[in-house]
Amino acid sequence: MYAEMMGITSKILLATMFSSSLPAQAGHDRLHEDIVTIFDSAYRRMLTPRSLNRLPTRGNRRYRQAVARMHRNIHAVLADRRADGTDHGDLLSALLAARDDGSETAGRDLSDTEITDNTMMFILAGTETTASALAWALHLVAGHPEVERALHGEVDAVLDGRPATHTDLPHLKLTGRIVTETLRLYPPGWIFTRTTTADALLGGHRIPENTTVIYSPYLLHRRADLFDAPDRFDPDRWLPDRVQPGRHTLVPFGGGSRKCIGDTFAVTEATLALATIASRWTLRHVAGPPVTPAKSAALYPRNLRMRAEVRAEGPRNDATKGWNPDAGH
């Protein structure tokens, strides 16, 4: 399931970023392999001393080659776009048209290096993380039949068999709560590091300047003093009439000035994808090894194999009777 969701999110990201297909040397399959290589290496590199990351090991070489190849491919696309001069209505065109108004040279264009670095970050942050969230959501829904029935009822009433679009979001309330609850239980960014820029006091502990601090949204989201029955999958905990945690309690995208810039995009993408999948398919677990969180840069579900069954009854199944998409179910 994780590989299938990676296929969905990478295609969405590439369409958003580049609108048209990449040139042959930067094809989808090659880019996907490089993304996986970089993500697999990122977790290890984050937790090991920098000196070890410079050693000519096989893993370090693969990481450097993947990064260099992505840089080359993005530079090639960027050169073509600058020569073309056409606004393609995608994120790359937005970056090419952007002006740096906060620098000493206000109004300057972004450099090729800045655009390439931002493009790489959008690609890396916008594929594995959302794919992980979608895979976990399908896993959790399949394990909770009452939630699955309610989800099918909502998408049947709202979509009537068609793909979900942005205008459907206000009516996909349960779908949105499922995504939020999934991000609480299995935040793709499960561990983050920060470096203090000045002496600080945190929880009564003095932290000197230039200290690396590690924190885990996965652990924070499962604290009983912050969430009721924290290990239970309960999308309705996010109903408006339920007591909500503080704004800094749910942090799947980090927080503060370093919060993920693509948080709204990711939640929107996951909600629309989940609704579209649920409107057409029922997912069932396949017997095999237990599903466990993989310790990688993104907390994806290891061993998650599922069988997709066409919902032959479609949008007219009994779950839709009496369903009100604006009610809190």
Side-chain angles (χ1 to χ4, degrees):
M1 285 306 299
Y2 180 59
E4 292 295 333
M5 295 305 103
M6 273 288 291
I8 291 175
T9 59
S10 58
K11 289 176 183 177
I12 291 173
L13 195 283
L14 293 178
T16 305
M17 193 80 226
F18 301 109
S19 67
S20 57
S21 59
L22 292 167
Q25 69 271 24
H28 177 271
D29 291 342
R30 177 74 267 179
L31 186 62
H32 172 76
E33 292 176 10
D34 288 340
I35 291 171
V36 172
T37 297
I38 293 171
F39 253 92
D40 286 345
S41 302
Y43 174 66
R44 173 184 56 78
R45 294 173 69 87
M46 182 173 65
L47 299 178
T48 55
R50 293 182 181 179
S51 58
L52 297 182
N53 293 330
R54 292 192 290 267
L55 294 176
T57 64
R58 182 169 179 267
N60 286 339
R61 289 198 304 272
R62 290 186 61 213
Y63 172 83
R64 287 193 289 268
Q65 290 167 357
V67 171
R69 189 161 41 239
M70 284 189 68
H71 269 282
R72 287 196 304 270
N73 290 334
I74 294 171
H75 268 295
V77 176
L78 186 54
D80 290 342
R81 284 295 183 88
R82 288 199 184 279
D84 177 75
T86 302
D87 186 344
H88 292 256
D90 52 25
L91 187 52
L92 184 58
S93 291
L95 288 173
L96 283 166
R99 299 292 179 269
D100 184 5
D101 293 328
S103 67
E104 295 179 358
T105 55
R108 74 175 179 88
D109 295 343
L110 298 179
S111 68
D112 283 5
T113 299
E114 289 171 324
I115 293 177
T116 299
D117 288 346
N118 276 282
T119 300
M120 282 194 64
M121 182 55 64
F122 288 136
I123 291 173
L124 292 171
T127 49
E128 290 228 22
T129 50
T130 310
S132 174
L134 270 172
W136 280 119
L138 292 169
H139 167 66
L140 290 167
V141 167
H144 295 80
E146 71 289 353
V147 175
E148 182 183 64
R149 286 192 295 270
L151 173 63
H152 287 168
E154 177 173 271
V155 298
D156 290 349
V158 174
L159 304 181
D160 195 26
R162 60 176 173 79
T165 67
H166 192 271
T167 57
D168 296 313
L169 283 174
H171 306 296
L172 295 172
K173 295 184 177 181
L174 172 60
T175 313
R177 294 199 303 274
I178 290 172
V179 170
T180 300
E181 181 70 346
T182 300
L183 290 172
R184 183 188 70 83
L185 283 172
Y186 297 104
W190 67 283
I191 187 169
F192 294 125
T193 60
R194 295 290 184 266
T195 302
T196 55
T197 57
D199 291 350
L201 193 66
L202 180 63
H205 300 278
R206 180 182 174 277
I207 303 177
E209 179 185 357
N210 201 33
T211 297
T212 298
V213 179
I214 302 175
Y215 73 98
S216 171
Y218 178 89
L219 296 178
L220 291 173
H221 292 171
R222 291 172 181 262
R223 283 179 50 157
D225 58 334
L226 300 178
F227 294 95
D228 180 46
D231 293 325
R232 185 176 67 213
F233 176 62
D234 179 16
D236 282 354
R237 74 170 72 240
W238 303 105
L239 284 168
D241 59 353
R242 296 273 291 268
V243 177
Q244 301 299 317
R247 62 186 294 261
H248 295 302
T249 304
L250 185 72
V251 288
F253 299 98
S257 61
R258 299 298 181 183
K259 183 180 181 181
C260 175
I261 195 174
D263 56 345
T264 302
F265 181 93
V267 172
T268 299
E269 177 186 358
T271 302
L272 297 180
L274 177 61
T276 300
I277 292 170
S279 72
R280 301 180 182 185
W281 307 91
T282 296
L283 279 299
R284 293 286 176 255
H285 289 106
V286 174
V291 177
T292 58
K295 295 181 179 65
S296 179
L299 194 71
Y300 67 88
R302 191 190 304 275
N303 302 322
L304 178 57
R305 297 176 60 84
M306 305 184 79
R307 182 176 61 253
E309 300 175 352
V310 177
R311 294 185 58 212
E313 69 275 18
R316 290 170 294 281
N317 75 43
D318 292 339
T320 66
K321 295 180 180 179
W323 175 263
N324 175 6
D326 292 321
H329 288 269

